[in-house]
Amino acid sequence: MKTAITELLGIRYPIIQGAMAWVADADLASAVSNAGGLGIVGTGHDSREVVKEKIDQMKKLTDQPFAVNAMLLNPHIEEVIDYIIEESGVKIVTTGAGNPSQYMKRFQEAGIRVIPVVASVALAKRMERIGADAIVIEGMEAGGHIGRSTTLTLLPQVVEAVDIPVIAAGGFGNGESLAAALMLGAEAIQVGTRFVVSKESNAHQNFKQKILKANDIATVVTGQITGHPVRVLRNQLTTDYLELERLQTSEDEPDFSEMEKLGKGALRRAVVEGDIKQGSMMAGQIAGLVKKEETVAEMIQDYIDGAQQAYRRCQACFAQDNG
């Protein structure tokens, strides 16, 4: 299955793993790369030393292409960028939570492919202007931090607006959705929620089980009034958080401090500690499609098989119509 992204990145399949905080470690990312996709090592707020450890571990586990995600709000971002460019040997970087323009020239001079994550047409065009090699567009169906547009509406508009390859994120739980993304002009999809429950994922089993038991209305968006919406699975934390949001909407000058206290450390509580009541269980709306824990290789093969079957069904429909 060749696309502009598989050719650009040297991977077998047009499937990119999301850089999920506390989940996207070397075990998961290497499994994705070894299975033919692009694994991404998440760095979050990591220091240079921690990023080096993660990349060193990744190199021990795979000889296939992989990426490192640079979270631009990281307080250590300058030293992390310096390490990635000058010492790591990494050739693909994805960026989030900020504008990578100040680093773009150095990335390019080092021969590093840069793929920012964006949530609007305007940002997609801006990233193309500063020299991004490709972009990830993320719809509101995705888990974690999201924008305001759905993937289905945003994707074709971005494809029309830019000339660089587009990777679609948010709402891709099976092969049929991969086929749909390709038909709408994407060159690959980014997968997060489904990979969380893979056998190679080190996410806590409690968190995995909540995804496996989820239905179509299991997620909710918090943080709307703060300007930083986040999609998560419903639990006591989201109930408490949404109540605080409701109370704040009646205030002339909202005080977000209580919400910040409630959310501090919540993602780690879910992923690492398995706290499914007060942890922030970031997951996309496709959680209701995820019904079993499989290996990454099995998941990727299911995406490819499903996409091929969907393509054949479309061919058959057109053939009947022409007949």
Side-chain angles (χ1 to χ4, degrees), residues 34-270:
N34 288 334
L38 183 75
I40 300 180
V41 178
T43 61
H45 289 85
D46 294 340
S47 66
R48 176 194 181 281
E49 290 72 24
V50 173
V51 173
K52 181 181 185 303
E53 289 175 6
K54 289 183 175 182
I55 293 175
D56 287 346
Q57 181 66 11
M58 189 70 177
K59 290 177 178 178
K60 292 178 182 178
L61 296 174
T62 186
D63 59 359
Q64 298 301 307
F66 68 91
V68 172
N69 176 260
M71 204 278 286
L72 299 175
L73 288 180
N74 181 354
H76 310 288
I77 191 61
E78 297 298 332
E79 62 184 44
V80 168
I81 293 292
D82 287 346
Y83 168 70
I84 291 173
I85 292 174
E86 298 169 8
E87 300 180 48
S88 72
V90 167
K91 292 302 178 184
I92 307 168
V93 167
T94 64
T95 68
N99 186 338
S101 58
Q102 63 180 305
Y103 310 110
M104 193 63 72
K105 184 177 179 181
R106 294 180 62 202
F107 280 135
Q108 292 171 335
E109 289 174 347
I112 296 174
R113 303 287 191 188
V114 183
I115 307 174
V117 178
V118 302
S120 71
V121 173
L123 285 174
K125 293 167 72 172
R126 186 185 306 171
M127 293 302 101
E128 181 179 39
R129 284 196 301 270
I130 67 172
D133 295 280
I135 48 174
V136 177
I137 64 101
E138 187 170 56
M140 65 178 297
E141 300 95 324
H145 296 276
I146 58 174
R148 295 186 179 275
S149 298
T150 66
T151 308
L152 187 65
T153 56
L154 181 60
L155 174 57
Q157 293 181 73
V158 172
V159 168
E160 185 179 89
V162 301
D163 293 322
I164 56 177
V166 177
I167 300 162
F172 301 103
N174 55 26
E176 289 78 3
S177 60
L178 167 58
L182 296 176
M183 294 178 75
L184 286 171
E187 300 292 343
I189 59 170
Q190 180 172 284
V191 176
T193 303
R194 190 170 177 185
F195 282 150
V196 172
V197 304
S198 67
K199 292 183 178 179
E200 293 88 347
S201 165
N202 291 316
H204 199 284
Q205 196 63 32
N206 290 352
F207 182 20
K208 290 185 178 183
Q209 286 300 314
K210 289 294 287 186
I211 293 175
L212 293 170
K213 294 178 180 179
N215 60 18
D216 59 319
I217 57 172
T219 67
V220 66
V221 177
T222 62
Q224 296 273 25
I225 67 171
T226 68
H228 302 286
V230 178
R231 184 175 296 283
V232 291
L233 294 173
R234 298 175 188 270
N235 62 359
Q236 187 59 50
L237 175 68
T238 64
T239 299
D240 296 342
Y241 198 99
L242 290 172
E243 177 60 16
L244 283 176
E245 285 195 43
R246 186 187 68 80
L247 294 174
Q248 290 298 324
T249 56
S250 63
E251 299 291 333
D252 293 332
E253 296 183 11
D255 179 6
F256 299 140
S257 59
E258 289 302 313
M259 283 183 276
E260 290 174 359
K261 290 179 185 177
L262 198 60
K264 187 175 182 179
L267 181 57
R268 187 184 190 282
R269 290 200 295 272

Side-chain angles (χ1 to χ4, degrees), residues 9-22:
L9 305 181
I11 57 179
R12 186 176 180 186
Y13 300 123
I15 297 176
I16 315 298
Q17 167 232 314
M20 301 162 285
W22 296 104

